């Protein structure tokens, strides 16, 4: 129990730390950040339930006003921007990513990368596109076209998440709870 709580807090901090990597904001107001890779790692390393809880902890702290999102954003105002769908989708993305890694027993690097693409790209984009559509008053197809700018970087992040997870499993097998 204590170990789980510590790991959930640690991974919430990891996502926040990845927000310190300089962001690049696209013209329509959604930033490209490294935080989505943290969400992927929550799932691949902690598993579905703990990964989603780590992301929910981060979002609760953001809602309370802590500037933990890329660019030092925080507070309830962060949930009234074009990136709101991505924020709402973060815990679902971590859960789906973790669920795939927990259930699919093949090479961990490949499974974690594929799970990160499914959960951390497809699932996350589904939420992100809807959020952008609402906040920018655009159609779903128009919003979907806008997110295509994120695809190459997010695929790279997914591959990195797979490699990091496999490396962690090799050096400290007991630390990859999604395979425990």
């Amino acid at each position: 129990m204590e170990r789980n709580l510590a790991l959930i807090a640690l991974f919430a901090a990891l996502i926040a730390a990845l927000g310190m990597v300089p962001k690049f904001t696209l013209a329509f107001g959604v930033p490209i950040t490294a935080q989505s890779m943290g969400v992927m790692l929550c799932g691949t390393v902690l598993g579905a339930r703990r990964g989603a809880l780590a992301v929910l902890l981060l979002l609760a702290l953001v809602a309370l006003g802590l500037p933990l999102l890329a660019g030092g954003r925080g507070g309830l105002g962060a949930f009234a921007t074009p990136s709101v769908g991505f924020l709402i989708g973060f815990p679902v993305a971590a859960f789906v990513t973790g669920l795939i890694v927990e259930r699919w027993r093949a090479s961990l690097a490949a499974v974690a990368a594929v799970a990160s693409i499914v959960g951390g790209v497809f699932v996350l984009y589904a939420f992100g596109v809807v959020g952008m559509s609402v906040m920018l008053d655009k159609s779903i197809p128009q919003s979907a076209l806008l997110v295509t700018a994120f695809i190459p970087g997010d695929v790279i992040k997914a591959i990195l998440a797979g490699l990091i997870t496999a490396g962690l499993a090799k050096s400290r097998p007991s630390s990859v709870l999604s395979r425990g």
Side-chain angles (χ1 to χ4, degrees):
M1 176 70 162
E2 291 168 355
R3 179 177 185 230
N4 285 338
L5 291 174
L7 288 169
I8 288 167
L10 177 67
F11 273 76
L14 171 68
I15 298 169
L18 287 170
M20 296 175 138
V21 174
K23 69 174 180 146
F24 176 76
T25 302
L26 298 177
F28 48 90
V30 176
I32 294 175
T33 75
Q35 287 185 302
S36 58
M37 186 171 72
V39 171
M40 294 172 191
L41 287 167
C42 283
T44 62
V45 176
L46 297 181
R49 191 175 57 84
R50 286 178 292 255
L53 288 172
V55 179
L56 286 170
L57 173 59
L58 174 84
L59 293 177
L61 295 171
V62 166
L64 289 172
L66 293 174
L68 302 177
L69 296 175
R73 296 175 302 133
L76 292 176
F79 296 93
T81 67
S83 60
V84 67
F86 291 97
L87 297 178
I88 293 169
F90 275 179
V92 180
F95 185 86
V96 170
T97 301
L99 191 63
I100 293 169
V101 174
E102 289 171 0
R103 304 257 168 105
W104 189 10
R105 297 295 177 175
S107 163
L108 183 56
V111 168
V114 169
S116 293
I117 289 170
V118 172
V121 178
F122 291 127
V123 170
L124 187 58
Y125 280 35
F127 283 86
V129 165
V130 171
M132 287 174 57
S133 176
V134 170
M135 298 306 291
L136 297 174
D137 195 30
K138 294 193 176 292
S139 69
I140 295 292
Q142 289 172 319
S143 296
L145 185 60
L146 290 175
V147 300
T148 59
F150 298 106
I151 293 172
D154 283 341
V155 169
I156 290 169
K157 290 179 221 174
I159 293 167
L160 286 173
L163 293 172
I164 291 167
T165 303
L168 188 57
K170 188 173 183 176
S171 64
R172 292 200 53 154
S174 65
S175 65
V176 179
L177 301 179
S178 61
R179 285 296 178 103

